[in-house]
Amino acid sequence: MSGDTKNPYDNACGQIKICAAQMDMEPGLYEILISHKMIHTVSLPIKKDNGEIEVFTGYRVQHNDARGPYKGGIRYHHEVSMDEVKSLAMGMTWKCALIDIPYGGAKGGIVCNTKEMSIGEKEHITRRYTTMISQFIGPYRDVPAPDMYTDAQTMAWMMDTYSVIQGYSVPEVVTGKPIGLGGSEGRAEATGRGAAIILRETAKILGMKLKGSTVVIQGFGNVGVNAAMTLYSMGCRIIGVSDSRGAIFDPDGLNPSKVFAHKLETGSVEGFQGSEKLTNEELLELECDFLVPAALGHQITMKNAGNIKAKVIVEGANNPTTTEADEILDNNGILLVPDILANSGGVMVSYLEWVQNINRQHWSLTEVNQQLEAKLVSSFRNVWDAKEEKGLNMRDTSLAIGVSRVAEAIKMLGLFP
Ligand code: GLU
């Protein structure tokens, strides 16, 4: 984990401070942008399968809703902290503004280890959490979605709990639902698929050949797997992947579908036939064209940034790189495509799901993927052109676009009272 001194929230504020200075923003506006409009901490007493009671802690942090209802995922992880959720909620605000969808930003989390919980315990904790935050969420208020260690089933329980409280079915209160409950075609794959599209656009603009290019992916959960599969289908050579247990390497290229089947069977990518075992640190430092961190935050820090040999980093995860590491990568000439652009495919298709739900429609996978493709390509080009014009790196450019759109919205709304 991070060797850097800052906590995730300070890291996020540091990024906005740089951005505000570049934009010559008035101090009061900067204060609004780094403040969270509402922060909810809830305690969740659960009767476990063994009959014992355990009290878990949950958060829902609503950062800013100047451009539309709060939007953002919910993660279940034993290391979830309030500071982390605050920084992730801010990230959602800039992400939604950057790709220009009518949402603000929020994030939620429960401090728990799903690997030690039964399906029944996960259902209890999800329903209790939803009940506790039910008055703060809603289709036009705050729309949760999956994140790390939550999935379509988690969203089904949230939708059901919320609907029971309202007294009628409200599918549009969450996105990332199972397709049979109003979920969108292509939503489950969207974040990884989106990261692959952004990587393809980066290769194109840099004049790098995608076919045969070498890719390393850290994390083999929803984002990593779908990015790997899409990139493999585009002709990339996936030379290394990892999960929380370990990493594997094959210079000739791995077939992600086969690695995934192996993970389903054994619980890990480790031991995949013909692959060499690596540590997580070694994986990040492999020589490759593209490195896609798609696991936890703060993986690329001042400790290892100097050893990264990838030409381009495409951030599939949220906050995988610290501010200190950003500077080192910049100085070493490594191009970094930031999270708020690279992983925005997930929330983009969440938006499409919400639009389908409120209009009582169901679109085909082709229709969804066409809209995802068009949005990501135009957002990428927009960032690239602005970067060329401003002479900033891609992170600062993306943040500048997102932050300035939110700042404009706040100014137009004015302050009440
Ligand atoms: N958790 C995803 C993210 O970090 C998706 C959020 C959403 O769809 O609302 O972007």
Side-chain angles (χ1 to χ4, degrees):
M1 280 294 285
S2 167
D4 303 14
T5 45
K6 283 184 192 155
N7 77 37
Y9 176 59
D10 291 340
N11 203 54
C13 293
Q15 289 173 344
I16 304 315
K17 200 168 201 147
I18 300 171
C19 197
Q22 279 156 359
M23 288 161 56
D24 209 13
M25 186 186 287
E26 61 176 286
L29 197 50
Y30 167 74
E31 286 301 320
I32 295 178
L33 291 173
I34 62 157
S35 310
H36 293 78
K37 214 158 158 184
M38 278 192 276
I39 294 181
H40 312 282
T41 305
V42 293
S43 78
L44 310 167
I46 306 299
K47 188 172 268 180
K48 297 196 294 181
D49 292 350
N50 65 7
E52 284 173 14
I53 291 171
E54 187 170 342
V55 183
F56 295 86
T57 302
Y59 306 109
R60 184 69 181 170
V61 174
Q62 297 169 323
H63 172 243
N64 189 285
D65 65 347
R67 287 177 42 92
Y70 300 106
K71 186 84 190 82
I74 290 169
R75 63 172 54 179
Y76 289 180
H77 196 268
H78 55 284
E79 279 175 354
V80 162
S81 70
M82 172 63 95
D83 278 329
E84 183 191 21
V85 181
K86 279 168 75 179
S87 90
L88 291 164
M90 277 174 101
M92 286 308 301
T93 305
W94 320 135
K95 193 186 300 186
C96 293
L98 174 65
I99 64 165
D100 204 9
I101 52 175
Y103 287 134
K107 201 83 177 191
I110 300 181
V111 190
C112 65
N113 186 350
T114 52
K115 289 178 186 164
E116 289 169 0
M117 293 163 78
S118 69
I119 180 117
E121 290 169 341
K122 282 193 263 184
E123 177 173 354
H124 285 155
I125 207 167
T126 303
R127 289 187 182 277
R128 182 70 185 214
Y129 172 73
T130 311
T131 307
M132 295 298 286
I133 63 164
S134 62
Q135 56 188 306
F136 309 115
I137 61 173
Y140 299 102
R141 192 168 285 172
D142 180 357
V143 186
D147 196 79
M148 290 184 68
Y149 297 103
T150 52
D151 55 17
Q153 175 61 75
T154 322
M155 294 305 114
W157 292 326
M158 288 196 79
M159 170 190 158
D160 184 59
T161 309
Y162 185 83
S163 298
V164 168
I165 293 169
Q166 299 304 313
Y168 57 94
S169 171
V170 194
E172 57 272 39
V173 67
V174 287
T175 57
K177 298 175 290 291
I179 290 181
L181 289 176
S184 178
E185 303 290 340
R187 174 61 187 85
E189 306 88 310
T191 313
R193 190 186 168 80
I197 293 172
I198 293 289
L199 187 152
R200 185 199 67 205
E201 290 304 298
T202 312
K204 201 189 284 174
I205 216 141
L206 293 175
M208 290 167 77
K209 217 169 139 231
L210 193 62
K211 207 166 165 30
S213 63
T214 50
V215 179
V216 170
I217 300 182
Q218 185 204 27
F220 215 58
N222 176 274
V223 182
V225 169
N226 287 297
M229 292 197 186
T230 315
L231 289 166
Y232 183 78
S233 73
M234 291 174 178
C236 297
R237 187 146 50 99
I238 316 292
I239 59 166
V241 301
S242 70
D243 59 21
S244 58
R245 296 217 202 143
I248 56 169
F249 170 63
D250 184 346
D252 296 330
L254 299 153
N255 178 334
S257 309
K258 290 191 179 154
V259 178
F260 187 54
H262 174 82
K263 186 176 160 90
L264 284 181
E265 206 182 300
T266 65
S268 170
V269 298
E270 266 191 357
F272 179 68
Q273 206 186 9
S275 70
E276 193 184 313
K277 189 174 150 108
L278 296 181
T279 63
N280 187 40
E281 290 72 30
E282 288 168 333
L283 179 101
L284 289 174
E285 296 172 13
L286 280 174
E287 199 150 324
C288 60
D289 293 314
F290 299 97
L291 171 64
V292 183
L296 283 168
H298 289 201
Q299 298 296 298
I300 304 176
T301 67
M302 59 202 259
K303 271 191 184 163
N304 61 2
N307 301 331
I308 303 253
K309 294 174 207 67
K311 295 194 182 87
V312 178
I313 298 176
V314 178
E315 295 187 322
N318 286 312
N319 298 342
T321 315
T322 63
T323 312
E324 288 89 344
D326 263 347
E327 215 178 299
I328 299 170
L329 298 171
D330 257 354
N331 291 338
N332 291 350
I334 297 171
L335 180 77
L336 184 139
V337 187
D339 46 7
I340 59 170
L341 177 63
N343 71 31
S344 63
V347 74
M348 173 57 195
V349 178
S350 274
Y351 165 64
L352 299 179
E353 179 172 326
W354 181 74
V355 171
Q356 290 170 75
N357 292 159
I358 52 189
N359 290 297
R360 300 292 181 257
Q361 290 179 359
H362 187 79
W363 303 343
S364 69
L365 180 61
T366 312
E367 165 84 51
V368 170
N369 280 344
Q370 269 168 1
Q371 293 209 40
L372 172 66
E373 167 85 24
K375 177 61 92 180
L376 292 186
V377 170
S378 69
S379 301
F380 176 84
R381 300 235 171 106
N382 194 15
V383 171
W384 189 268
D385 292 346
K387 159 190 130 60
E388 297 287 279
E389 196 189 307
K390 293 189 175 111
L392 300 172
N393 64 24
M394 286 191 87
R395 164 122 44 226
D396 292 345
T397 310
S398 303
L399 279 172
I401 296 171
V403 169
S404 62
R405 286 184 179 155
V406 179
E408 276 312 307
I410 293 171
K411 280 200 247 170
M412 285 188 282
L413 290 168
L415 294 179
F416 175 83

